[in-house]
């Protein structure tokens, strides 16, 4: 099970705390993590953002003096860890350690490609982005049992996947969008020709009820060897699209562990 975007504490898209949004999770993660069970949901993962959140880290935050001492101000206002590896390590270790102690087993980290752009005013942008990528991997390696890379399609991200094995190989799929479906299928298989030298491709989710591309998406997932995951509400599942991806007696092909 993976908890997707929507749980972070923040203001206007900028991270303010490593704890989940208290309005949505007033008792933290305990009630959710209590549902883990070896015979049912064995692993729980958490979506995180490489930049903190979509607009990075809020200057007024609850991260504490120690973490904030490793922050630098981005030219348009918010904060992010400094360019050096130790600054990046301080933040990503804290992020991963907090969520490991909360009970999560793996993470999916989004918005990685944007990291180099967040240093666009720096003469050491590539150096800084590589440090952040390596620190993220090391923090996940020390604290988690898996890292899925999401939106990680440039050289500074792909060439720093030393520990992780899975990366998204396409832009986001969108329901019932003909142009986007065609681009998604084309780019997924084209990108993996170069990305596949170092990572296993993740072709994103799809809807079995997609009026335009449901069958094509199902076929592409089967051919890809990538994870297969649906975004339909269960009441909208189309069995004819889903069942060919399962064994005849209903069992699913499952990994030994996440990512």
């Amino acid at each position: 099970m993976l908890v997707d975007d929507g749980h972070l504490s923040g203001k206007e898209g900028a991270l303010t705390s490593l704890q989940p949004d208290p309005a949505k999770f007033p008792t933290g993660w305990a009630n959710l993590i209590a549902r883990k069970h070896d015979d049912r949901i064995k692993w729980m993962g958490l979506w995180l953002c490489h930049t903190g959140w979509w607009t990075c880290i809020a200057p007024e935050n609850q991260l504490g003096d120690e973490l904030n001492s490793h922050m630098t101000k981005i030219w348009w206002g918010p904060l992010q860890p400094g360019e050096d590896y130790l600054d990046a390590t301080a933040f990503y270790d804290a992020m991963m350690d907090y969520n490991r102690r909360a009970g999560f087993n793996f993470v999916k980290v989004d918005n990685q490609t944007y990291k180099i752009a967040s240093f666009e005013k720096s003469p050491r942008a590539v150096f800084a982005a590589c440090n952040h990528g390596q620190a993220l991997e090391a923090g996940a390696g020390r604290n988690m049992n898996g890292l899925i890379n999401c939106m990680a399609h440039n050289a500074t991200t792909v060439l720093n996947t030393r520990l992780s094995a899975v990366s998204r190989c396409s832009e986001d799929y969108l329901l019932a969008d003909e142009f986007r479906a065609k681009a998604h299928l084309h780019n997924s298989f084209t990108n993996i020709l170069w990305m596949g030298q170092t990572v296993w491709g993740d072709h994103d989710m799809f809807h079995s009820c997609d009026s335009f591309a449901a069958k094509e998406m199902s076929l592409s997932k089967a051919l890809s060897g990538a994870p297969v995951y649906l975004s339909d509400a269960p009441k909208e599942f189309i069995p004819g699209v889903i069942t060919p991806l399962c064994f005849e007696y209903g069992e699913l092909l499952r990994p030994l562990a996440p990512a």
Side-chain angles (χ1 to χ4, degrees), residues 30 43 67 83 86 95 110 117 155 158 181 189 221 223 243 256:
W43 302 289
L67 273 187
E83 297 179 359
L86 291 179
M95 174 191 285
D110 207 338
V158 171
F189 286 97
K221 308 310 178 195
L223 287 168
T243 52
L256 294 175

Side-chain angles (χ1 to χ4, degrees), residues 24-169:
K24 298 177 180 179
F25 298 91
T27 60
W29 292 117
N31 290 340
L32 179 68
I33 296 298
R35 300 177 73 104
K36 275 202 302 185
H37 192 286
D38 280 352
D39 293 333
R40 294 176 181 270
I41 300 174
K42 187 173 182 178
W43 302 289
M44 285 196 179
L46 190 65
W47 178 98
L48 296 171
C49 197
H50 191 38
T51 47
W53 207 6
W54 298 117
T55 53
C56 303
I57 299 168
E60 295 80 32
N61 61 61
Q62 295 148 28
L63 298 178
D65 292 342
E66 170 60 25
L67 273 187
N68 277 299
S69 71
H70 293 279
M71 297 293 169
T72 185
K73 190 172 184 178
I74 304 175
W75 63 272
W76 50 276
L79 304 177
Q80 66 176 339
E83 297 179 359
D84 292 327
Y85 182 76
L86 291 179
D87 291 325
T89 296
F91 177 68
Y92 295 115
D93 268 7
M95 174 191 285
M96 298 301 172
D97 175 70
Y98 174 81
N99 290 302
R100 174 186 59 79
R101 288 186 289 106
F104 290 100
N105 307 101
F106 69 100
V107 289
K108 179 178 182 178
V109 180
D110 207 338
N111 209 29
Q112 295 188 46
T113 306
Y114 179 73
K115 179 53 70 173
I116 193 169
S118 69
F119 286 106
E120 66 178 299
K121 300 291 186 180
S122 168
R124 303 198 303 169
V126 172
F127 168 84
C130 287
N131 280 338
H132 279 235
Q134 292 170 20
L136 170 69
E137 285 241 320
R142 281 188 282 269
N143 292 281
M144 294 290 168
N145 293 322
L147 165 63
I148 301 173
N149 301 297
C150 187
M151 295 297 103
H153 304 114
N154 63 14
T156 58
T157 51
V158 171
L159 298 180
N160 282 294
T161 50
R162 297 172 182 176
L163 302 176
S164 56
V166 178
S167 289
R168 276 281 297 282
C169 59

Side-chain angles (χ1 to χ4, degrees), residues 172-187:
D172 290 349
Y173 155 90
L174 291 177
L175 174 64
D177 184 322
E178 179 176 349
F179 173 80
R180 191 64 170 260
K182 290 179 177 179
H184 172 84
L185 291 169
H186 174 273
N187 293 345

